[in-house]
Amino acid sequence: MKRQNWEGEKTVAQRHAITVLAVDDEESFLEALGLGLEREGFEVHVARDGVEALESFARVEPDIVLLDVMLPRLSGIDVCQELRKETSVPIIMLSAKGEEIDAVVGLEVGADDYITKPYRLRELVARIRAALRRTRVTGAESGASLHAGLLTSGDICLDPDRYEVTVRDEALSLPLKEFELLKVLMENVGHVLTRQRLIECVWGFDYVGDTKTLDVHIKRLRSRVEKDPANPEAIITIRGLGYKLVDTSLSGTPRRIMGPVEEKKEQLGL
């Protein structure tokens, strides 16, 4: 396996693969993990300490994170806490046998699962796919739903592949940045996205322009998708934090699904 396939330009197959961010400070472990996951069809990016993990997450926008508990510069627990402030992407903690209690703490601060080293690749792949399935189910019940590539929330429907948007069954033409901004919001329905996170997703990690650009685009987007832009119901401002998209079609409380966090807490008597 060539290193550029991990962190360089994507191959054609990788553009359609599930993206994994693997974070560990053991080079030999990362090498073996990367090879194994790529053979299973995943696109793998790596980080070797906590700070690099946060930077890589913002740049790569992975589908799932494999996060070692013990990391230089910033621990896996701290990284998990930081990620949970802005994303619901699945996180699986990786721990040595003596670090299991730390992995349980990871579950407490937002990780979805943990697995103890050494483990079989087949088991890890099964855990990854299970976490991704749970995320899709929960996302469909609590916000945007995915049907054959379509993102829907309330009366907004977005097709990422065809670059099409409909609002209240009427086709809407959006400039590129407004389309990308709406797509990010719809992929994270019900979750607060910080201003910095939105800027990095839409304008890039190295953007150095005026942050008011985001506010201008939000205002324009509201004028196109809200019934009353002066009193928005879908794109909501969260003071001091950022914005979130609310599914205006939801009624009642979404059904709660028990995942591995609750199961493990129950097993451990927590």
Side-chain angles (χ1 to χ4, degrees):
M1 178 182 55
K2 298 180 181 178
R3 179 170 296 277
Q4 58 262 36
N5 284 353
W6 290 14
E7 299 169 311
E9 187 173 340
K10 297 180 181 180
T11 65
V12 172
Q14 286 174 322
R15 292 190 191 106
H16 302 283
I18 293 170
T19 305
V20 178
L21 175 60
V23 187
D24 200 291
D25 60 335
E26 295 181 32
E27 194 66 38
S28 59
F29 173 81
L30 277 179
E31 185 77 19
L33 180 61
L35 284 167
L37 291 179
E38 285 193 347
R39 281 199 298 266
E40 293 290 330
F42 297 97
E43 176 190 341
V44 182
H45 295 258
V46 301
R48 297 165 182 82
D49 62 58
V51 174
E52 185 183 353
L54 294 176
E55 294 172 348
S56 297
F57 184 90
R59 183 181 69 254
V60 174
E61 297 184 25
D63 298 301
I64 191 166
V65 178
L66 305 181
L67 183 60
D68 189 45
V69 171
M70 302 297 290
L71 293 171
R73 300 175 72 188
L74 196 65
S75 75
I77 303 299
D78 291 331
V79 172
C80 184
Q81 284 181 307
E82 289 300 311
L83 291 178
R84 275 295 170 258
K85 292 177 182 178
E86 59 182 59
T87 182
S88 58
V89 164
I91 299 172
I92 298 178
M93 305 295 294
L94 309 176
S95 70
K97 277 204 169 182
E99 300 165 355
E100 279 196 55
I101 186 64
D102 294 316
V104 173
V105 174
L107 296 178
E108 294 284 353
V109 299
D112 297 88
D113 198 358
Y114 82 88
I115 187 168
T116 304
K117 302 176 187 175
Y119 50 77
R120 291 173 297 180
L121 180 64
R122 182 175 297 179
E123 180 185 1
L124 177 60
V125 170
R127 298 277 191 101
I128 290 172
R129 289 177 174 153
L132 290 168
R133 282 196 301 271
R134 284 192 297 271
T135 301
R136 285 195 292 269
V137 170
T138 305
E141 292 199 348
S142 63
S145 58
L146 182 61
H147 299 288
L150 295 180
L151 289 168
T152 62
S153 177
D155 48 19
I156 306 170
C157 180
L158 183 147
D159 187 333
D161 297 324
R162 297 185 177 182
Y163 189 72
E164 294 176 349
V165 178
T166 58
V167 178
R168 293 177 285 280
D169 297 322
E170 293 186 7
L172 183 65
S173 178
L174 291 178
L176 178 60
K177 291 302 181 188
E178 289 180 34
F179 181 88
E180 292 177 349
L181 181 56
L182 181 59
K183 178 174 177 287
V184 173
L185 289 168
M186 293 186 70
E187 288 172 337
N188 296 275
V189 171
H191 295 281
V192 178
L193 296 177
T194 64
R195 294 167 58 83
Q196 186 61 35
R197 174 66 173 160
L198 286 168
I199 289 171
E200 289 171 359
C201 288
V202 178
W203 284 272
F205 185 70
D206 55 352
Y207 178 74
V208 293
D210 192 338
T211 57
K212 290 183 179 179
T213 298
L214 173 62
D215 301 321
V216 171
H217 280 74
I218 289 287
K219 184 177 181 180
R220 290 175 180 169
L221 201 50
R222 281 173 171 161
S223 71
R224 300 173 191 274
V225 304
E226 297 280 2
K227 293 179 180 177
D228 180 4
N231 297 286
E233 296 179 348
I235 303 174
I236 306 301
T237 301
I238 307 300
R239 289 188 178 279
L241 290 176
Y243 300 94
K244 75 173 178 179
L245 184 69
V246 176
D247 187 345
T248 56
S249 68
L250 286 180
S251 59
T253 304
R255 179 172 60 86
R256 181 175 175 274
I257 299 175
M258 179 175 283
V261 175
E262 290 85 356
E263 292 172 357
K264 289 187 183 298
K265 285 182 180 178
E266 199 169 71
Q267 293 168 4
L268 294 164
L270 298 176

